[in-house]
Amino acid sequence: MKSHEIKAIIEGLLFVSGEEGIDENQMMDVLEIDRKTLKFYLAELKEMYHSNNRGIQLVELAGGYQLTTKKEHAIYFKRLIQSPTSATLSQAALESLAIIAYKQPVSRVEVEDIRGVKSERPIRTLNGKGFIKEVGRADRTGRAILYGTTKFFLEQFGLQSVEELPPLPDPVAEEEVEEEVDLFFEKFQEQFSDNNTINKKSV
């Protein structure tokens, strides 16, 4: 592979790895290159983000690498979170939020196992808007990030604690599961919309 292609693949790996990051061994296995070569390309990427005044940066944390935003831009991200439209959540985000609320602490992989689809983007959205936060690391290989809900989540849903969440549907026959899940998420979304309207009016 050519140099630019390897760097593009590394960038893609960093992007799909999200906030959990990716370590050198994983990248070496995927790219089939040695550590010295990998570090060379990582250094080039880091310099590229720095010298071109990009909005993201490459950082090394706990033996892994992540693409992150820059501290000096934090004020703009805060404005986005606090904007009037920031409370609107997609169906994917609401589903992910419901799973985290009931299963917390829970990892992204566990959320994806329940939803059956990738959930990196909705989890990133929920984290950025303050509905969820990192509450620890899984005590197993990979040390995956564990997520839980926040005080902001409780305020938006008009709850004193997660114990006040509506009960989950009773066990149902396999052929009825999809219908029950759809109904549950619909109720969850209605509760979010109702409480969010109240909170907006009170601001």
Side-chain angles (χ1 to χ4, degrees), residues 88-107:
T88 303
L89 295 177
S90 66
Q91 182 67 20
L94 281 169
E95 290 178 5
S96 300
L97 181 57
I99 292 167
I100 293 169
Y102 282 95
K103 302 283 288 184
Q104 60 184 307
V106 62
S107 69

Side-chain angles (χ1 to χ4, degrees), residues 178-195:
E178 185 174 346
E179 182 180 353
E180 288 289 337
V181 169
D182 288 341
L183 288 172
F184 169 66
F185 286 132
E186 184 178 333
K187 290 179 181 178
F188 196 82
Q189 186 169 16
E190 287 174 356
Q191 183 169 347
F192 169 76
S193 299
D194 291 344
N195 283 289

Side-chain angles (χ1 to χ4, degrees), residues 5-190:
E5 186 177 0
I6 293 175
K7 286 191 287 188
I9 294 171
I10 292 174
E11 189 173 39
L13 291 172
L14 289 162
F15 178 79
V16 299
S17 298
E19 69 269 21
E20 292 186 9
I22 183 171
D23 62 36
E24 293 181 358
N25 290 331
Q26 289 175 300
M27 286 189 280
M28 288 189 296
D29 288 342
V30 172
L31 291 163
E32 298 181 333
I33 58 177
D34 58 41
R35 195 177 304 275
K36 182 178 179 180
T37 303
L38 174 64
K39 284 187 173 293
F40 170 79
Y41 287 117
L42 287 170
E44 283 204 341
L45 279 172
K46 185 177 290 188
E47 178 60 27
M48 178 188 74
Y49 290 127
H50 177 72
S51 61
N52 291 348
N53 293 317
R54 302 283 288 275
I56 56 176
Q57 60 185 345
L58 175 60
V59 298
E60 184 176 2
L61 295 170
Y65 292 84
Q66 292 177 296
L67 289 178
T68 71
T69 54
K70 296 181 176 180
K71 291 182 179 180
E72 56 264 37
H73 299 156
I75 184 174
Y76 302 102
F77 306 139
K78 186 175 182 180
R79 288 177 188 172
L80 174 64
I81 293 170
Q82 295 176 340
S83 68
T85 59
S86 68
T88 303
L89 295 177
S90 66
Q91 182 67 20
L94 281 169
E95 290 178 5
S96 300
L97 181 57
I99 292 167
I100 293 169
Y102 282 95
K103 302 283 288 184
Q104 60 184 307
V106 62
S107 69
R108 174 174 58 85
V109 173
E110 290 172 309
V111 173
E112 291 174 346
D113 285 343
I114 295 172
R115 293 190 64 228
V117 293
K118 289 289 186 182
S119 302
E120 168 72 24
R121 185 170 181 178
I123 286 179
R124 186 183 301 168
T125 297
L126 293 169
N127 191 42
K129 292 182 177 182
F131 286 96
I132 64 172
K133 63 181 180 180
E134 297 179 16
V135 295
R137 292 271 182 172
D139 188 20
R140 54 181 177 271
T141 304
R143 302 281 293 165
I145 295 172
L146 298 176
Y147 295 97
T149 52
T150 63
K151 181 181 178 182
F152 178 73
F153 163 80
L154 296 175
E155 292 171 349
Q156 292 299 303
F157 279 81
L159 303 171
Q160 293 295 321
S161 70
V162 292
E163 281 73 25
E164 293 184 2
L165 284 167
L168 288 168
D170 294 329
V172 293
E174 186 175 346
E175 60 271 15
E176 299 175 4
V177 169
E178 185 174 346
E179 182 180 353
E180 288 289 337
V181 169
D182 288 341
L183 288 172
F184 169 66
F185 286 132
E186 184 178 333
K187 290 179 181 178
F188 196 82
Q189 186 169 16
E190 287 174 356

